[in-house]
Amino acid sequence: MTKRSLGAYVHVPFCGSRCGYCDFNTYTAGELQRDGTSVSADTYAQRVVEEIRLTTQHKADFVQPLETIFFGGGTPTLLPALDLNLILRELANTYALADNCEVTTEANPDSVDKEYLETLRAGGFTRISFGHQSSSQKVLQVLDRTHTSGRTWQAVQWAREVGFEHVSVDLIYGSPHETDEDLQLTLAEVAAAPVDHVSAYSLIVEPGTRLAATIKRGELPAPTDDVAASRYEIIDNALAAMGMSWYEVSNWSLPGGECRHNIAYWRNQDWLGIGPGAHAHFDGLRQWNVKHPAAWAALVDSGELPVADREHLSALDVAHENIMLALRLRTGLALAELSPAANEQAEIALTDGLLEPEQFANGLAVLTFKGRLLADGLVARLWD
Ligand SMILES: C[S@@+](CC[C@H](N)C(=O)[O-])C[C@H]1O[C@@H](n2cnc3c(N)ncnc32)[C@H](O)[C@@H]1O
Ligand code: SF4
């Protein structure tokens, strides 16, 4: 059996302000004050260090060098750069880092300057992913973003100047009031920037968000599937023209620019989850931390692992998860792993033009362009 690789996800649950569409586990200083908690960005890194030390008691047999580390949020770059480096050092001291360990942080474009990036690079970060979303000021406003488009490209330039090996941007498409021309402008700016990776997500109207309420009141139009599909096509064509290919339905890169951390998730490898609400996975055991930063901090302060719950995945759960994850990857899903009924569905999908015929003949389900547009529906059909 091939050895399972280990990664680490570190969640940073703070944002300067909350974007109306976002339902991630993140809090502004005002929200935390309203909750009456003493948790803040100032004391966060020390508690994360404590949690990292606690994780080894829990899973001593999983202590092995980390192949990838990902700081996500929230806005990790709201913490001082030296705090992120301190956390990274603790992971290195406790677990060791594999040669060529990929160390990513997410960043809001207006949360960093060149000196900040220089400090992260010197501390061992190798990859940075900026939440650009759009180059249209009108769309940025609809999304409540606090940065200008130009600020992203300045930050990308700084990241390259200080030596980041990989630089990515996140885009959101299909936003209310976005036009094809707005998206073309975004893509033209991406083409001119030294990025080697793009994640593009169609805007999801998450229940309970400010955006959902605004749409419900009729003040903004709801995104539609047809517009999302045609924008996805525009994105795929433009990125292909830049030499980027898709390696997961929402992710494109230049050769060698793939995010290894995300690939490890999608291949069901193992990872530690550090911070409030973070999920971990160890060979079929899934566990997640308590969600609120105050509850998380109280457990860490009392020397307890802040785990809310855990579950052992059944063989069926693992098979389902594998279908969902592998089918979205360009490397595809082995048909041999499907039940006879699911294989029949795969045959139908092939006839409908959703799967690549050549790959299918070699025993692999690999999505065509049309298949990528309909990936979620196909996953559901293969599950039954
Ligand atoms: C956890 S956020 C963190 C990134 C960073 N805080 C920022 O906003 O720049 C990661 C990405 O998820 C995407 N995202 C979050 N909510 C979304 C939604 N409702 N629909 C589509 N994409 C979303 C955005 O592209 C965002 O950049
Ligand atoms: S999209 Fe990013 S900046 Fe906006 S609220 Fe979510 S995590 Fe925070």
Side-chain angles (χ1 to χ4, degrees):
M1 216 177 93
T2 51
K3 193 163 154 42
R4 304 175 62 79
S5 70
L6 185 68
Y9 172 76
V10 179
H11 189 67
V12 180
F14 307 113
C15 284
S17 61
R18 182 179 281 276
C19 311
Y21 56 86
C22 181
D23 77 342
F24 282 71
N25 186 30
T26 185
Y27 305 81
T28 60
E31 284 169 342
L32 288 171
Q33 253 165 21
R34 263 202 309 282
D35 293 353
T37 86
S38 61
V39 179
S40 71
D42 302 342
T43 51
Y44 191 69
Q46 199 46 51
R47 286 193 169 111
V48 168
V49 163
E50 290 304 325
E51 187 187 350
I52 291 168
R53 291 179 185 156
L54 290 169
T55 57
T56 59
Q57 300 171 4
H58 173 64
K59 278 279 159 206
D61 45 338
F62 278 88
V63 176
Q64 64 179 55
L66 297 165
E67 301 286 340
T68 62
I69 299 172
F70 194 101
F71 288 67
T75 305
T77 44
L78 268 192
L79 300 188
L82 287 175
D83 282 7
L84 296 185
N85 287 353
L86 176 80
I87 296 169
L88 177 56
R89 240 185 355 262
E90 188 61 33
L91 284 168
N93 290 341
T94 310
Y95 283 85
L97 305 188
D99 289 344
N100 204 18
C101 179
E102 175 192 272
V103 186
T104 304
T105 186
E106 291 183 333
N108 288 38
D110 51 357
S111 65
V112 297
D113 58 21
K114 189 170 180 185
E115 193 188 339
Y116 187 101
L117 295 172
E118 211 158 22
T119 308
L120 286 188
R121 182 69 194 109
F125 283 77
T126 63
R127 186 172 181 278
I128 189 156
S129 171
F130 291 106
H132 176 60
Q133 322 309 358
S134 173
S135 292
S136 151
Q137 195 51 41
K138 171 189 68 187
V139 174
L140 289 173
Q141 238 160 23
V142 166
L143 295 176
D144 297 323
R145 301 296 294 182
T146 56
H147 62 90
T148 59
S149 179
R151 180 65 192 215
T152 305
W153 309 123
Q154 174 67 83
V156 164
Q157 196 59 43
W158 285 330
R160 284 300 192 189
E161 282 167 18
V162 305
F164 274 85
E165 290 165 34
H166 301 288
V167 182
S168 178
V169 285
D170 287 347
L171 306 180
I172 290 181
Y173 60 93
S175 302
H177 300 326
E178 182 192 59
T179 62
D180 285 356
E181 291 69 33
D182 292 325
L183 182 59
Q184 299 285 12
L185 169 71
T186 303
L187 292 163
E189 292 194 357
V190 170
V195 297
D196 64 351
H197 187 283
V198 171
S199 302
Y201 306 111
S202 88
L203 180 68
I204 308 292
V205 181
E206 301 286 359
T209 56
R210 234 176 22 246
L211 177 68
T214 315
I215 289 176
K216 195 161 171 221
R217 287 197 303 272
E219 290 166 20
L220 282 176
T224 70
D225 289 348
D226 284 352
V227 169
S230 87
R231 300 265 156 85
Y232 183 88
E233 185 166 11
I234 293 173
I235 291 170
D236 194 54
N237 287 336
L239 295 179
M242 295 172 213
M244 290 200 191
S245 21
W246 74 283
Y247 68 99
E248 194 271 348
V249 171
S250 304
N251 288 277
W252 292 255
S253 78
L254 292 176
E258 298 85 358
C259 175
R260 285 164 44 210
H261 185 81
N262 284 339
I263 290 178
Y265 281 150
W266 297 322
R267 297 228 170 110
N268 246 325
Q269 297 297 308
D270 296 331
W271 63 90
L272 306 160
I274 313 284
H279 285 232
H281 178 257
F282 307 104
D283 197 8
L285 170 74
R286 191 156 48 191
Q287 68 180 34
W288 51 97
N289 280 352
V290 293
K291 195 169 170 196
H292 197 280
W296 167 84
L299 286 168
V300 171
D301 289 353
S302 64
E304 268 183 72
L305 272 167
V307 174
D309 211 348
R310 48 176 69 93
E311 63 182 357
H312 282 278
L313 300 177
S314 67
L316 191 65
D317 291 337
V318 172
H320 277 171
E321 208 148 84
N322 188 38
I323 292 174
M324 186 174 74
L325 299 171
L327 191 67
R328 292 176 62 88
L329 289 170
R330 188 178 197 138
T331 44
L333 168 69
L335 293 167
E337 291 180 29
L338 295 176
S339 67
N343 257 297
E344 275 176 33
Q345 288 296 326
E347 291 276 0
I348 296 171
L350 176 70
T351 316
D352 291 346
L354 306 189
L355 297 175
E356 296 281 0
E358 250 175 59
Q359 303 273 16
F360 201 86
N362 292 328
L364 275 181
V366 175
L367 296 171
T368 56
F369 176 76
K370 185 175 168 196
R372 278 188 273 154
L373 291 176
L374 300 172
D376 292 344
L378 182 54
V379 165
R381 274 159 56 196
L382 297 183
W383 264 23
D384 294 334

